[in-house]
Amino acid sequence: MISFELSPDQRKLQQRIRHLAEEKLHPLSLKLEAGKPGPIDKDYLKIISKEHLNAFIIPEEYGGKPLDRLTLSLVTEEISYGCAGLASIYAATVHAVSALLIGGSHEQKEAFLIPLLKPEGEVASCCITEEKGGSDTSSFDTTARLEGDHYVINGAKVPIINAGNAAFYTVWASSDTGRGRAGINAFVVPKEVAGITCSAYHDKPGLRCAPTAMVFFHDVVVPRSSLIGLPGSGYLLLMQTLDWGRAFFGAICVGLARAAIEEIIHFAKKRVILNRPILKNQGISFILAELATDIDAARLLVWRACRLMDLNMDYTRESSMAKLFASEVAAKVTREGMLIIGQKGYSGPTLMAKYQRDAQALRILEGTSHIQKMIISSQL
Ligand SMILES: Cc1cc2nc3c(=O)[nH]c(=O)nc-3n(C[C@H](O)[C@H](O)[C@H](O)COP(=O)(O)OP(=O)(O)OC[C@H]3O[C@@H](n4cnc5c(N)ncnc54)[C@H](O)[C@@H]3O)c2cc1C
């Protein structure tokens, strides 16, 4: 049965995070936007802890209070409505945790998930992309050589959200370059291990609140038990992790698009040209009607993908559709926003310009729009 009704509990949670977004995240994100690149802001870590965001993705047996995927998409939309940067910080943790939930052993979950609930506010990183390979994740230059009872990891991943802040990294590497995808393994690597270093933080145009850097692995020695899943299962694990993550990023895009359209409506109501608010012109109001329809359609795609996940059904195509459509909608809303706000959106560091830069980053992250089209078309 299809239902668009949210339960009282879902609505309550949604309201709680919306309130957080309006009261705290909006002003914080604007302050951070203007700052220099650096580690995750301490207030954001406090919010992660205080709002129990990590508990939402951790099973009860490891101390969490897990949400189903649909409810998590509601939370994610609201976080992103407040700050797409914080939502991306959270997404990186969600990805790293998802890899453990899908393929990790009980010991790995116990060792790495429980500490994410510490009151300091913890995050994790997901290390997939490399300079040379980019979108191509069928082979990696990063290697993980098996030597007796341990692996030795060498290579570099870039750009990595939460680099230098993460309690642990999930790292994809090739253990047998001759075997292509079948030679790929995934590892869970604690931050303290010798040989992990990070570059300076990137001074990037969008998602500035979500620090990214390059992560280097130089002769990083980890026990055999750091391998997630069976030897050679890394590629499959990666596809499963990304499949789920795409709908999650769709929710981030919906939250950002909603924040942007609210800003446009607010502006269009109070900007008076030729004695009437510009919103009264169909040239403006029809654009807003289309954008509002697009945002709702994007949300429904996200909900559908999440619902399929909750029902344990196939969702690869639906998750990619959600990410593709929602990220393009976010880009469209912010592009139209820049036009409607006119020179006032273009004079100095404005909110709409920030939204537009964040939206462009979201078209790339988690597989570009081209890659989503490749995935969807392969499933037709
Ligand atoms: C802000 C930000 C944060 C990120 N954080 C992380 C992170 O935490 N962890 C992580 O592992 N990665 C991260 N990434 C990396 C991201 O996932 C990659 O940027 C993305 O997968 C694309 O790779 P690329 O940028 O190297 O593009 P390329 O692979 O170099 O592609 C260049 C262009 O060619 C297109 N293209 C490539 N192949 C094809 C094809 N077969 N058909 C059609 N078009 C094609 C692409 O769509 C793109 O437009 C982050 C990226 C950004 C921007």
Side-chain angles (χ1 to χ4, degrees), residues 92 125-136 157-162 204 206-207 210 212 361-362 364-371 374:
S125 274
C126 202
C127 298
I128 306 162
T129 313
E130 298 180 351
E131 186 79 50
K132 192 170 136 211
S135 305
D136 179 5
K157 300 283 183 176
V158 67
I160 302 302
I161 294 180
N162 299 343
K204 58 188 185 312
L207 297 181
T212 55
L362 291 170
I364 302 170
L365 247 169
E366 193 72 10
T368 64
S369 292
H370 302 139
I371 298 302
M374 278 176 61

PDB file of all heavy atoms in Angstrom, residues 92 125-136 157-162 204 206-207 210 212 361-362 364-371 374, ligand 1:
ATOM      1  N   ALA A  92      28.913  11.252   5.233  1.00  0.00           N
ATOM      2  CA  ALA A  92      30.175  10.505   5.195  1.00  0.00           C
ATOM      3  C   ALA A  92      30.190   9.457   6.309  1.00  0.00           C
ATOM      4  O   ALA A  92      30.600   8.299   6.105  1.00  0.00           O
ATOM      5  CB  ALA A  92      31.358  11.469   5.337  1.00  0.00           C
ATOM      6  N   SER A 125      34.887   8.555   8.022  1.00  0.00           N
ATOM      7  CA  SER A 125      35.118   8.915   6.616  1.00  0.00           C
ATOM      8  C   SER A 125      35.031   7.699   5.727  1.00  0.00           C
ATOM      9  O   SER A 125      35.380   6.586   6.144  1.00  0.00           O
ATOM     10  CB  SER A 125      36.535   9.481   6.436  1.00  0.00           C
ATOM     11  OG  SER A 125      36.590  10.834   6.692  1.00  0.00           O
ATOM     12  N   CYS A 126      34.651   7.941   4.498  1.00  0.00           N
ATOM     13  CA  CYS A 126      34.545   6.869   3.514  1.00  0.00           C
ATOM     14  C   CYS A 126      35.548   7.194   2.401  1.00  0.00           C
ATOM     15  O   CYS A 126      35.392   8.192   1.703  1.00  0.00           O
ATOM     16  CB  CYS A 126      33.120   6.881   2.983  1.00  0.00           C
ATOM     17  SG  CYS A 126      32.621   5.355   2.287  1.00  0.00           S
ATOM     18  N   CYS A 127      36.582   6.357   2.244  1.00  0.00           N
ATOM     19  CA  CYS A 127      37.676   6.668   1.308  1.00  0.00           C
ATOM     20  C   CYS A 127      37.583   5.793   0.067  1.00  0.00           C
ATOM     21  O   CYS A 127      38.047   4.642   0.071  1.00  0.00           O
ATOM     22  CB  CYS A 127      39.023   6.451   1.989  1.00  0.00           C
ATOM     23  SG  CYS A 127      39.275   7.502   3.408  1.00  0.00           S
ATOM     24  N   ILE A 128      37.007   6.350  -0.977  1.00  0.00           N
ATOM     25  CA  ILE A 128      36.834   5.608  -2.233  1.00  0.00           C
ATOM     26  C   ILE A 128      37.632   6.280  -3.350  1.00  0.00           C
ATOM     27  O   ILE A 128      38.492   5.656  -3.983  1.00  0.00           O
ATOM     28  CB  ILE A 128      35.334   5.589  -2.638  1.00  0.00           C
ATOM     29  CG1 ILE A 128      34.463   5.053  -1.509  1.00  0.00           C
ATOM     30  CG2 ILE A 128      35.136   4.760  -3.914  1.00  0.00           C
ATOM     31  CD1 ILE A 128      32.987   5.393  -1.637  1.00  0.00           C
ATOM     32  N   THR A 129      37.336   7.557  -3.593  1.00  0.00           N
ATOM     33  CA  THR A 129      37.836   8.236  -4.802  1.00  0.00           C
ATOM     34  C   THR A 129      39.346   8.455  -4.766  1.00  0.00           C
ATOM     35  O   THR A 129      39.909   8.811  -3.723  1.00  0.00           O
ATOM     36  CB  THR A 129      37.125   9.601  -4.966  1.00  0.00           C
ATOM     37  OG1 THR A 129      35.720   9.414  -4.787  1.00  0.00           O
ATOM     38  CG2 THR A 129      37.385  10.193  -6.333  1.00  0.00           C
ATOM     39  N   GLU A 130      39.942   8.266  -5.960  1.00  0.00           N
ATOM     40  CA  GLU A 130      41.376   8.540  -6.123  1.00  0.00           C
ATOM     41  C   GLU A 130      41.557   9.553  -7.245  1.00  0.00           C
ATOM     42  O   GLU A 130      40.718   9.665  -8.126  1.00  0.00           O
ATOM     43  CB  GLU A 130      42.116   7.251  -6.470  1.00  0.00           C
ATOM     44  CG  GLU A 130      41.999   6.221  -5.358  1.00  0.00           C
ATOM     45  CD  GLU A 130      42.718   4.915  -5.679  1.00  0.00           C
ATOM     46  OE1 GLU A 130      43.174   4.738  -6.826  1.00  0.00           O
ATOM     47  OE2 GLU A 130      42.820   4.097  -4.754  1.00  0.00           O
ATOM     48  N   GLU A 131      42.696  10.219  -7.194  1.00  0.00           N
ATOM     49  CA  GLU A 131      43.018  11.254  -8.181  1.00  0.00           C
ATOM     50  C   GLU A 131      42.885  10.701  -9.605  1.00  0.00           C
ATOM     51  O   GLU A 131      42.194  11.284 -10.442  1.00  0.00           O
ATOM     52  CB  GLU A 131      44.475  11.696  -7.922  1.00  0.00           C
ATOM     53  CG  GLU A 131      44.944  12.844  -8.753  1.00  0.00           C
ATOM     54  CD  GLU A 131      44.431  14.170  -8.211  1.00  0.00           C
ATOM     55  OE1 GLU A 131      44.581  14.414  -7.007  1.00  0.00           O
ATOM     56  OE2 GLU A 131      43.871  14.944  -9.011  1.00  0.00           O
ATOM     57  N   LYS A 132      43.492   9.548  -9.861  1.00  0.00           N
ATOM     58  CA  LYS A 132      43.521   9.030 -11.240  1.00  0.00           C
ATOM     59  C   LYS A 132      42.176   8.417 -11.637  1.00  0.00           C
ATOM     60  O   LYS A 132      41.629   8.719 -12.691  1.00  0.00           O
ATOM     61  CB  LYS A 132      44.638   7.986 -11.362  1.00  0.00           C
ATOM     62  CG  LYS A 132      44.947   7.603 -12.798  1.00  0.00           C
ATOM     63  CD  LYS A 132      46.207   6.755 -12.877  1.00  0.00           C
ATOM     64  CE  LYS A 132      45.971   5.587 -13.827  1.00  0.00           C
ATOM     65  NZ  LYS A 132      46.742   4.410 -13.442  1.00  0.00           N
ATOM     66  N   GLY A 133      41.625   7.592 -10.790  1.00  0.00           N
ATOM     67  CA  GLY A 133      40.422   6.827 -11.170  1.00  0.00           C
ATOM     68  C   GLY A 133      39.155   7.647 -11.216  1.00  0.00           C
ATOM     69  O   GLY A 133      38.284   7.394 -12.049  1.00  0.00           O
ATOM     70  N   GLY A 134      38.994   8.623 -10.328  1.00  0.00           N
ATOM     71  CA  GLY A 134      37.774   9.442 -10.287  1.00  0.00           C
ATOM     72  C   GLY A 134      36.516   8.588 -10.217  1.00  0.00           C
ATOM     73  O   GLY A 134      36.356   7.746  -9.323  1.00  0.00           O
ATOM     74  N   SER A 135      35.646   8.765 -11.210  1.00  0.00           N
ATOM     75  CA  SER A 135      34.361   8.042 -11.227  1.00  0.00           C
ATOM     76  C   SER A 135      34.534   6.534 -11.391  1.00  0.00           C
ATOM     77  O   SER A 135      33.613   5.768 -11.084  1.00  0.00           O
ATOM     78  CB  SER A 135      33.506   8.525 -12.405  1.00  0.00           C
ATOM     79  OG  SER A 135      33.336   9.898 -12.370  1.00  0.00           O
ATOM     80  N   ASP A 136      35.659   6.117 -11.905  1.00  0.00           N
ATOM     81  CA  ASP A 136      35.881   4.691 -12.165  1.00  0.00           C
ATOM     82  C   ASP A 136      36.321   3.993 -10.873  1.00  0.00           C
ATOM     83  O   ASP A 136      37.442   4.166 -10.405  1.00  0.00           O
ATOM     84  CB  ASP A 136      36.962   4.530 -13.247  1.00  0.00           C
ATOM     85  CG  ASP A 136      37.248   3.067 -13.539  1.00  0.00           C
ATOM     86  OD1 ASP A 136      36.551   2.187 -12.980  1.00  0.00           O
ATOM     87  OD2 ASP A 136      38.188   2.799 -14.319  1.00  0.00           O
ATOM     88  N   LYS A 157      43.694   8.965  -1.161  1.00  0.00           N
ATOM     89  CA  LYS A 157      42.280   9.146  -1.529  1.00  0.00           C
ATOM     90  C   LYS A 157      41.948  10.635  -1.458  1.00  0.00           C
ATOM     91  O   LYS A 157      42.341  11.322  -0.501  1.00  0.00           O
ATOM     92  CB  LYS A 157      41.390   8.372  -0.540  1.00  0.00           C
ATOM     93  CG  LYS A 157      41.658   6.862  -0.512  1.00  0.00           C
ATOM     94  CD  LYS A 157      41.053   6.166  -1.715  1.00  0.00           C
ATOM     95  CE  LYS A 157      41.240   4.669  -1.667  1.00  0.00           C
ATOM     96  NZ  LYS A 157      40.566   3.980  -2.793  1.00  0.00           N
ATOM     97  N   VAL A 158      41.167  11.097  -2.425  1.00  0.00           N
ATOM     98  CA  VAL A 158      40.849  12.522  -2.490  1.00  0.00           C
ATOM     99  C   VAL A 158      39.631  12.765  -3.370  1.00  0.00           C
ATOM    100  O   VAL A 158      39.478  12.077  -4.379  1.00  0.00           O
ATOM    101  CB  VAL A 158      42.061  13.321  -3.023  1.00  0.00           C
ATOM    102  CG1 VAL A 158      42.360  12.999  -4.499  1.00  0.00           C
ATOM    103  CG2 VAL A 158      41.900  14.815  -2.845  1.00  0.00           C
ATOM    104  N   PRO A 159      38.771  13.733  -3.004  1.00  0.00           N
ATOM    105  CA  PRO A 159      38.707  14.486  -1.755  1.00  0.00           C
ATOM    106  C   PRO A 159      37.885  13.696  -0.734  1.00  0.00           C
ATOM    107  O   PRO A 159      36.896  13.060  -1.099  1.00  0.00           O
ATOM    108  CB  PRO A 159      37.950  15.753  -2.168  1.00  0.00           C
ATOM    109  CG  PRO A 159      37.071  15.328  -3.308  1.00  0.00           C
ATOM    110  CD  PRO A 159      37.718  14.145  -3.966  1.00  0.00           C
ATOM    111  N   ILE A 160      38.274  13.775   0.525  1.00  0.00           N
ATOM    112  CA  ILE A 160      37.609  12.959   1.543  1.00  0.00           C
ATOM    113  C   ILE A 160      36.993  13.867   2.615  1.00  0.00           C
ATOM    114  O   ILE A 160      37.699  14.604   3.313  1.00  0.00           O
ATOM    115  CB  ILE A 160      38.617  11.967   2.184  1.00  0.00           C
ATOM    116  CG1 ILE A 160      39.225  11.061   1.092  1.00  0.00           C
ATOM    117  CG2 ILE A 160      37.950  11.143   3.282  1.00  0.00           C
ATOM    118  CD1 ILE A 160      38.204  10.239   0.273  1.00  0.00           C
ATOM    119  N   ILE A 161      35.673  13.773   2.723  1.00  0.00           N
ATOM    120  CA  ILE A 161      34.956  14.535   3.758  1.00  0.00           C
ATOM    121  C   ILE A 161      35.306  13.937   5.124  1.00  0.00           C
ATOM    122  O   ILE A 161      35.392  12.714   5.262  1.00  0.00           O
ATOM    123  CB  ILE A 161      33.433  14.475   3.518  1.00  0.00           C
ATOM    124  CG1 ILE A 161      33.079  15.211   2.220  1.00  0.00           C
ATOM    125  CG2 ILE A 161      32.661  15.075   4.694  1.00  0.00           C
ATOM    126  CD1 ILE A 161      31.608  15.220   1.874  1.00  0.00           C
ATOM    127  N   ASN A 162      35.473  14.798   6.098  1.00  0.00           N
ATOM    128  CA  ASN A 162      35.818  14.420   7.487  1.00  0.00           C
ATOM    129  C   ASN A 162      37.265  13.954   7.637  1.00  0.00           C
ATOM    130  O   ASN A 162      37.646  13.422   8.686  1.00  0.00           O
ATOM    131  CB  ASN A 162      34.868  13.357   8.060  1.00  0.00           C
ATOM    132  CG  ASN A 162      33.438  13.823   8.110  1.00  0.00           C
ATOM    133  OD1 ASN A 162      33.180  15.017   8.013  1.00  0.00           O
ATOM    134  ND2 ASN A 162      32.496  12.911   8.268  1.00  0.00           N
ATOM    135  N   LYS A 204      37.436  25.067  -0.917  1.00  0.00           N
ATOM    136  CA  LYS A 204      36.571  24.788  -2.068  1.00  0.00           C
ATOM    137  C   LYS A 204      35.370  25.745  -2.116  1.00  0.00           C
ATOM    138  O   LYS A 204      34.990  26.298  -1.087  1.00  0.00           O
ATOM    139  CB  LYS A 204      36.107  23.325  -2.035  1.00  0.00           C
ATOM    140  CG  LYS A 204      35.364  22.904  -0.794  1.00  0.00           C
ATOM    141  CD  LYS A 204      35.172  21.399  -0.851  1.00  0.00           C
ATOM    142  CE  LYS A 204      34.327  20.859   0.287  1.00  0.00           C
ATOM    143  NZ  LYS A 204      34.672  21.325   1.652  1.00  0.00           N
ATOM    144  N   GLY A 206      32.052  25.171  -2.735  1.00  0.00           N
ATOM    145  CA  GLY A 206      30.778  24.747  -2.140  1.00  0.00           C
ATOM    146  C   GLY A 206      30.985  23.802  -0.968  1.00  0.00           C
ATOM    147  O   GLY A 206      32.093  23.309  -0.745  1.00  0.00           O
ATOM    148  N   LEU A 207      29.916  23.566  -0.219  1.00  0.00           N
ATOM    149  CA  LEU A 207      29.950  22.697   0.970  1.00  0.00           C
ATOM    150  C   LEU A 207      31.147  23.045   1.843  1.00  0.00           C
ATOM    151  O   LEU A 207      31.885  22.162   2.300  1.00  0.00           O
ATOM    152  CB  LEU A 207      29.998  21.217   0.549  1.00  0.00           C
ATOM    153  CG  LEU A 207      28.802  20.681  -0.232  1.00  0.00           C
ATOM    154  CD1 LEU A 207      28.983  19.206  -0.564  1.00  0.00           C
ATOM    155  CD2 LEU A 207      27.484  20.877   0.528  1.00  0.00           C
ATOM    156  N   ALA A 210      31.800  21.453   5.248  1.00  0.00           N
ATOM    157  CA  ALA A 210      32.193  20.040   5.317  1.00  0.00           C
ATOM    158  C   ALA A 210      33.651  19.934   4.870  1.00  0.00           C
ATOM    159  O   ALA A 210      33.936  19.955   3.674  1.00  0.00           O
ATOM    160  CB  ALA A 210      31.302  19.195   4.404  1.00  0.00           C
ATOM    161  N   THR A 212      37.133  18.937   3.531  1.00  0.00           N
ATOM    162  CA  THR A 212      37.683  17.839   2.719  1.00  0.00           C
ATOM    163  C   THR A 212      39.198  18.014   2.620  1.00  0.00           C
ATOM    164  O   THR A 212      39.704  19.134   2.659  1.00  0.00           O
ATOM    165  CB  THR A 212      37.123  17.822   1.285  1.00  0.00           C
ATOM    166  OG1 THR A 212      37.348  19.090   0.686  1.00  0.00           O
ATOM    167  CG2 THR A 212      35.644  17.492   1.246  1.00  0.00           C
ATOM    168  N   ALA A 361      28.232  21.193  -5.999  1.00  0.00           N
ATOM    169  CA  ALA A 361      29.036  20.105  -5.391  1.00  0.00           C
ATOM    170  C   ALA A 361      28.208  18.825  -5.307  1.00  0.00           C
ATOM    171  O   ALA A 361      28.705  17.718  -5.540  1.00  0.00           O
ATOM    172  CB  ALA A 361      29.520  20.528  -4.009  1.00  0.00           C
ATOM    173  N   LEU A 362      26.906  18.985  -5.015  1.00  0.00           N
ATOM    174  CA  LEU A 362      26.043  17.803  -4.851  1.00  0.00           C
ATOM    175  C   LEU A 362      25.761  17.105  -6.187  1.00  0.00           C
ATOM    176  O   LEU A 362      25.370  15.941  -6.211  1.00  0.00           O
ATOM    177  CB  LEU A 362      24.730  18.197  -4.159  1.00  0.00           C
ATOM    178  CG  LEU A 362      24.910  18.607  -2.684  1.00  0.00           C
ATOM    179  CD1 LEU A 362      23.629  19.214  -2.130  1.00  0.00           C
ATOM    180  CD2 LEU A 362      25.328  17.414  -1.829  1.00  0.00           C
ATOM    181  N   ILE A 364      28.105  16.445  -8.150  1.00  0.00           N
ATOM    182  CA  ILE A 364      29.334  15.664  -8.395  1.00  0.00           C
ATOM    183  C   ILE A 364      29.472  14.526  -7.388  1.00  0.00           C
ATOM    184  O   ILE A 364      29.761  13.378  -7.747  1.00  0.00           O
ATOM    185  CB  ILE A 364      30.580  16.595  -8.289  1.00  0.00           C
ATOM    186  CG1 ILE A 364      30.472  17.740  -9.289  1.00  0.00           C
ATOM    187  CG2 ILE A 364      31.864  15.810  -8.499  1.00  0.00           C
ATOM    188  CD1 ILE A 364      31.521  18.824  -9.100  1.00  0.00           C
ATOM    189  N   LEU A 365      29.266  14.890  -6.120  1.00  0.00           N
ATOM    190  CA  LEU A 365      29.444  13.927  -5.020  1.00  0.00           C
ATOM    191  C   LEU A 365      28.600  12.666  -5.204  1.00  0.00           C
ATOM    192  O   LEU A 365      27.503  12.755  -5.736  1.00  0.00           O
ATOM    193  CB  LEU A 365      28.942  14.605  -3.754  1.00  0.00           C
ATOM    194  CG  LEU A 365      29.909  14.953  -2.654  1.00  0.00           C
ATOM    195  CD1 LEU A 365      29.227  15.846  -1.649  1.00  0.00           C
ATOM    196  CD2 LEU A 365      30.433  13.721  -1.985  1.00  0.00           C
ATOM    197  N   GLU A 366      29.134  11.541  -4.724  1.00  0.00           N
ATOM    198  CA  GLU A 366      28.347  10.297  -4.712  1.00  0.00           C
ATOM    199  C   GLU A 366      28.000   9.841  -6.129  1.00  0.00           C
ATOM    200  O   GLU A 366      26.973   9.216  -6.373  1.00  0.00           O
ATOM    201  CB  GLU A 366      27.058  10.534  -3.896  1.00  0.00           C
ATOM    202  CG  GLU A 366      26.283   9.295  -3.517  1.00  0.00           C
ATOM    203  CD  GLU A 366      26.968   8.492  -2.441  1.00  0.00           C
ATOM    204  OE1 GLU A 366      27.946   8.976  -1.841  1.00  0.00           O
ATOM    205  OE2 GLU A 366      26.522   7.359  -2.202  1.00  0.00           O
ATOM    206  N   GLY A 367      28.878  10.149  -7.073  1.00  0.00           N
ATOM    207  CA  GLY A 367      28.614   9.810  -8.472  1.00  0.00           C
ATOM    208  C   GLY A 367      27.950  10.982  -9.157  1.00  0.00           C
ATOM    209  O   GLY A 367      26.882  11.435  -8.728  1.00  0.00           O
ATOM    210  N   THR A 368      28.583  11.478 -10.223  1.00  0.00           N
ATOM    211  CA  THR A 368      28.039  12.646 -10.931  1.00  0.00           C
ATOM    212  C   THR A 368      26.700  12.290 -11.592  1.00  0.00           C
ATOM    213  O   THR A 368      26.344  11.110 -11.693  1.00  0.00           O
ATOM    214  CB  THR A 368      29.005  13.095 -12.055  1.00  0.00           C
ATOM    215  OG1 THR A 368      29.085  12.034 -13.006  1.00  0.00           O
ATOM    216  CG2 THR A 368      30.391  13.417 -11.519  1.00  0.00           C
ATOM    217  N   SER A 369      26.040  13.321 -12.109  1.00  0.00           N
ATOM    218  CA  SER A 369      24.759  13.081 -12.800  1.00  0.00           C
ATOM    219  C   SER A 369      24.970  12.167 -14.006  1.00  0.00           C
ATOM    220  O   SER A 369      24.111  11.346 -14.331  1.00  0.00           O
ATOM    221  CB  SER A 369      24.149  14.418 -13.236  1.00  0.00           C
ATOM    222  OG  SER A 369      23.758  15.136 -12.083  1.00  0.00           O
ATOM    223  N   HIS A 370      26.142  12.293 -14.674  1.00  0.00           N
ATOM    224  CA  HIS A 370      26.414  11.380 -15.816  1.00  0.00           C
ATOM    225  C   HIS A 370      26.443   9.929 -15.321  1.00  0.00           C
ATOM    226  O   HIS A 370      25.869   9.041 -15.958  1.00  0.00           O
ATOM    227  CB  HIS A 370      27.784  11.697 -16.438  1.00  0.00           C
ATOM    228  CG  HIS A 370      27.923  13.092 -16.924  1.00  0.00           C
ATOM    229  ND1 HIS A 370      29.058  13.852 -16.750  1.00  0.00           N
ATOM    230  CD2 HIS A 370      27.045  13.898 -17.580  1.00  0.00           C
ATOM    231  CE1 HIS A 370      28.890  15.047 -17.281  1.00  0.00           C
ATOM    232  NE2 HIS A 370      27.678  15.103 -17.790  1.00  0.00           N
ATOM    233  N   ILE A 371      27.100   9.726 -14.213  1.00  0.00           N
ATOM    234  CA  ILE A 371      27.243   8.344 -13.695  1.00  0.00           C
ATOM    235  C   ILE A 371      25.869   7.805 -13.267  1.00  0.00           C
ATOM    236  O   ILE A 371      25.556   6.638 -13.493  1.00  0.00           O
ATOM    237  CB  ILE A 371      28.272   8.300 -12.534  1.00  0.00           C
ATOM    238  CG1 ILE A 371      29.657   8.743 -13.045  1.00  0.00           C
ATOM    239  CG2 ILE A 371      28.331   6.914 -11.892  1.00  0.00           C
ATOM    240  CD1 ILE A 371      30.254   7.943 -14.187  1.00  0.00           C
ATOM    241  N   MET A 374      24.224   6.590 -16.273  1.00  0.00           N
ATOM    242  CA  MET A 374      24.779   5.286 -16.698  1.00  0.00           C
ATOM    243  C   MET A 374      24.137   4.152 -15.903  1.00  0.00           C
ATOM    244  O   MET A 374      23.775   3.111 -16.450  1.00  0.00           O
ATOM    245  CB  MET A 374      26.296   5.265 -16.457  1.00  0.00           C
ATOM    246  CG  MET A 374      27.110   5.943 -17.543  1.00  0.00           C
ATOM    247  SD  MET A 374      28.852   5.961 -17.107  1.00  0.00           S
ATOM    248  CE  MET A 374      29.205   4.228 -16.996  1.00  0.00           C
TER     249      MET A 374
HETATM  250  C1  LIG B   1      32.782  18.208  -2.181  1.00  0.00           C
HETATM  251  C2  LIG B   1      33.151  16.805  -2.519  1.00  0.00           C
HETATM  252  C3  LIG B   1      33.320  15.878  -1.493  1.00  0.00           C
HETATM  253  C4  LIG B   1      33.680  14.553  -1.793  1.00  0.00           C
HETATM  254  N1  LIG B   1      33.855  13.672  -0.771  1.00  0.00           N
HETATM  255  C5  LIG B   1      34.241  12.394  -1.032  1.00  0.00           C
HETATM  256  C6  LIG B   1      34.471  11.451   0.034  1.00  0.00           C
HETATM  257  O1  LIG B   1      34.266  11.743   1.206  1.00  0.00           O
HETATM  258  N2  LIG B   1      34.908  10.218  -0.291  1.00  0.00           N
HETATM  259  C7  LIG B   1      35.147   9.832  -1.578  1.00  0.00           C
HETATM  260  O2  LIG B   1      35.568   8.702  -1.792  1.00  0.00           O
HETATM  261  N3  LIG B   1      34.938  10.697  -2.622  1.00  0.00           N
HETATM  262  C8  LIG B   1      34.492  11.962  -2.382  1.00  0.00           C
HETATM  263  N4  LIG B   1      34.262  12.836  -3.411  1.00  0.00           N
HETATM  264  C9  LIG B   1      34.582  12.425  -4.769  1.00  0.00           C
HETATM  265  C10 LIG B   1      33.384  12.258  -5.682  1.00  0.00           C
HETATM  266  O3  LIG B   1      32.667  11.100  -5.356  1.00  0.00           O
HETATM  267  C11 LIG B   1      33.949  12.276  -7.109  1.00  0.00           C
HETATM  268  O4  LIG B   1      34.322  13.611  -7.371  1.00  0.00           O
HETATM  269  C12 LIG B   1      32.987  11.800  -8.131  1.00  0.00           C
HETATM  270  O5  LIG B   1      32.762  10.435  -7.988  1.00  0.00           O
HETATM  271  C13 LIG B   1      33.462  12.086  -9.566  1.00  0.00           C
HETATM  272  O6  LIG B   1      34.800  11.823  -9.774  1.00  0.00           O
HETATM  273  P1  LIG B   1      35.723  12.956 -10.434  1.00  0.00           P
HETATM  274  O7  LIG B   1      35.378  14.237  -9.778  1.00  0.00           O
HETATM  275  O8  LIG B   1      37.133  12.509 -10.349  1.00  0.00           O
HETATM  276  O9  LIG B   1      35.280  13.080 -11.933  1.00  0.00           O
HETATM  277  P2  LIG B   1      35.837  12.258 -13.246  1.00  0.00           P
HETATM  278  O10 LIG B   1      35.683  10.839 -12.991  1.00  0.00           O
HETATM  279  O11 LIG B   1      37.218  12.812 -13.504  1.00  0.00           O
HETATM  280  O12 LIG B   1      34.850  12.739 -14.311  1.00  0.00           O
HETATM  281  C14 LIG B   1      34.988  13.985 -15.016  1.00  0.00           C
HETATM  282  C15 LIG B   1      33.706  14.193 -15.826  1.00  0.00           C
HETATM  283  O13 LIG B   1      33.545  13.132 -16.759  1.00  0.00           O
HETATM  284  C16 LIG B   1      32.298  12.504 -16.557  1.00  0.00           C
HETATM  285  N5  LIG B   1      32.413  11.083 -16.808  1.00  0.00           N
HETATM  286  C17 LIG B   1      33.322  10.222 -16.252  1.00  0.00           C
HETATM  287  N6  LIG B   1      33.115   8.982 -16.725  1.00  0.00           N
HETATM  288  C18 LIG B   1      32.073   9.057 -17.578  1.00  0.00           C
HETATM  289  C19 LIG B   1      31.376   8.118 -18.381  1.00  0.00           C
HETATM  290  N7  LIG B   1      31.728   6.840 -18.404  1.00  0.00           N
HETATM  291  N8  LIG B   1      30.317   8.534 -19.136  1.00  0.00           N
HETATM  292  C20 LIG B   1      29.950   9.838 -19.121  1.00  0.00           C
HETATM  293  N9  LIG B   1      30.572  10.782 -18.391  1.00  0.00           N
HETATM  294  C21 LIG B   1      31.620  10.401 -17.631  1.00  0.00           C
HETATM  295  C22 LIG B   1      31.923  12.797 -15.112  1.00  0.00           C
HETATM  296  O14 LIG B   1      30.532  12.734 -14.943  1.00  0.00           O
HETATM  297  C23 LIG B   1      32.456  14.208 -14.950  1.00  0.00           C
HETATM  298  O15 LIG B   1      31.535  15.123 -15.457  1.00  0.00           O
HETATM  299  C24 LIG B   1      33.876  14.159  -3.146  1.00  0.00           C
HETATM  300  C25 LIG B   1      33.671  15.100  -4.183  1.00  0.00           C
HETATM  301  C26 LIG B   1      33.305  16.401  -3.878  1.00  0.00           C
HETATM  302  C27 LIG B   1      33.093  17.368  -4.995  1.00  0.00           C
END
